[in-house]
Amino acid sequence: MSSTPTKILVPADDLRTFSAALLERGSLSAEHARTTADVFVWAAQRGVDSHGTARVPAYLELLAKGVANARPRMTIESTAPAAAVLDADRAPGPVALTAGADEAVRRARETGIASAGVRRTVHTGAIGYYVSRIAEQGLVGLGFVAGMPNMGYTGVKGAAVATSPLAVAVPAREHAPLLLDMATATIALGRIRPARASCTALPEGAAATEDGTRTTDPERAVMPLPLGGAKGSGMSLAFELLTSVLVGAPIFASFHAGDRKHRQNALLIAVDPAAFGDPEAFTANVDDTLGTLKGLPVAAGAVGVFYPGERSAAVAEERGAKGVPVAAKVWRELTGHADRLGVAAPRFDG
């Protein structure tokens, strides 16, 4: 008797084309659908399932409800050569932040360092994608995001700040780029529900009940707690100031005043190594630094020495060759939407 597979292997290109087709039928333009699908499949290839193609049904819902604007009129404002503000007009995050990253790179080529603030977008997706996009062009990428409060703050009762992420990507010559992509929470919000389903206790100090009481019980947990206590709290608040407040679209203050309409803001920064010296020497020294780290003695019990982004890059390479694992439940959701929208699902052996 054969068992139903828990994962289905789908070729990355097929998954990208399929996701884009679903999003286009969900009312995005063909270009915006491809851009959004690129971000999802990038995350899925790297094992970040929470931001992968499992997000497609949620985005279809955001579009259907009008939370995300399927036909945004994005505008760019600038009063200085090295800075711009992109008003997303509620465009999906992948659309808005991809445009923001490209704008930051374009300006940094002229000014050495440049930033693009993105305001009024909806769910940014994997922020590591946008800084990696910058690094692929030979520049250093930095990104910060602020969103709706869903995490505790040291000393506050209940949810106060967002699990705001930061990401840094540094290009190398021979090595995969360094990619630091992290939230300010101890655990991702998305880890609570699976723990509840499997009756698995949460780590100590990682989550809290609605009133802010720490708990390891997934049945009682409703929000994550900040990484490092006051350190994570402070980082999240700082990111709100660097993004939302900086671009004139505050979230934190308006949320606590009663405005619960979903939105996110971001700041993307591109740094051109050529403005600081020889760019070839820079990437060579990045390689040397990463190689030195890899050559350090391995501690007892450790499986190896890794730098941020190294293992996810290896996973992406493997999945690019063998296919991207998609949970059977997610695949059923995707094919269900495909039937409803009249989209042909890819055929494959798996």
Side-chain angles (χ1 to χ4, degrees):
M1 180 173 139
S2 62
S3 59
T4 302
T6 58
K7 299 276 187 180
I8 298 166
L9 282 179
V10 185
D13 287 343
D14 289 348
L15 190 58
R16 187 178 293 107
T17 300
F18 182 40
S19 299
L22 289 172
L23 291 162
E24 186 175 355
R25 287 296 179 91
S27 67
L28 284 182
S29 69
E31 179 186 359
H32 288 176
R34 285 193 301 270
T35 296
T36 304
D38 279 345
V39 177
F40 290 160
V41 175
W42 181 92
Q45 276 194 247
R46 281 154 181 76
V48 189
D49 295 332
S50 60
H51 288 69
T53 46
R55 283 286 178 182
V56 172
Y59 271 57
L60 291 173
E61 184 177 355
L62 290 173
L63 291 163
K65 291 182 175 180
V67 176
N69 186 355
R71 291 291 186 269
R73 299 183 64 181
M74 297 191 297
T75 57
I76 293 177
E77 303 169 5
S78 178
T79 57
V85 175
L86 187 152
D87 191 295
D89 190 28
R90 295 184 298 106
V95 173
L97 269 70
T98 296
D102 291 348
E103 183 67 18
V105 168
R106 186 185 70 77
R107 290 172 180 262
R109 293 287 190 202
E110 300 294 327
T111 59
I113 180 170
S115 62
V118 179
R119 69 178 173 216
R120 295 202 305 144
T121 188
V122 177
H123 193 271
T124 56
I127 188 174
Y129 173 89
Y130 313 108
V131 294
S132 294
R133 187 180 179 92
I134 293 171
E136 284 172 2
Q137 298 179 68
L139 284 73
V140 175
L142 299 90
F144 309 89
V145 168
M148 306 299 287
N150 58 359
M151 180 178 78
Y153 185 95
T154 302
V156 174
K157 180 180 179 180
V161 291
T163 56
S164 303
L166 71 91
V168 180
V170 182
R173 180 184 293 172
E174 301 296 334
H175 287 83
L178 178 141
L179 174 58
L180 174 67
D181 186 350
M182 57 172 281
T184 49
T186 301
I187 60 170
L189 182 63
R191 277 190 58 187
I192 294 176
R193 185 178 295 175
R196 189 176 300 147
S198 61
C199 300
T200 304
L202 296 166
E204 287 283 351
T209 61
E210 189 172 1
D211 66 1
T213 303
R214 293 188 175 202
T215 183
T216 60
D217 183 354
E219 291 291 339
R220 299 182 61 223
V222 299
M223 64 180 174
L225 289 171
L227 180 67
K231 294 179 181 179
S233 295
M235 289 171 67
S236 179
L237 189 61
F239 297 167
E240 164 72 2
L241 299 178
L242 288 172
T243 59
S244 307
V245 175
L246 189 65
V247 299
I251 294 177
F252 176 83
S254 62
F255 176 90
H256 289 291
D259 182 1
R260 303 301 167 90
K261 184 177 180 181
H262 175 74
R263 69 271 193 203
Q264 293 187 332
N265 301 305
L267 179 69
L268 295 168
I269 300 170
V271 181
D272 188 353
F276 295 81
D278 180 356
E280 294 297 324
F282 172 74
T283 51
N285 285 329
V286 171
D287 269 346
D288 184 51
T289 300
L290 299 179
T292 299
L293 175 71
K294 298 288 294 176
L296 295 178
V298 179
V303 296
V305 178
F306 304 96
Y307 61 87
E310 179 184 1
R311 283 180 284 190
S312 64
V315 170
E317 185 174 353
E318 179 183 5
R319 291 186 173 185
K322 298 181 178 179
V324 179
V326 179
K329 179 182 177 183
V330 172
W331 187 249
R332 287 194 298 270
E333 284 188 76
L334 294 175
T335 54
H337 283 290
D339 290 342
R340 177 176 62 84
L341 296 169
V343 173
R347 296 178 179 274
F348 57 91
D349 295 325

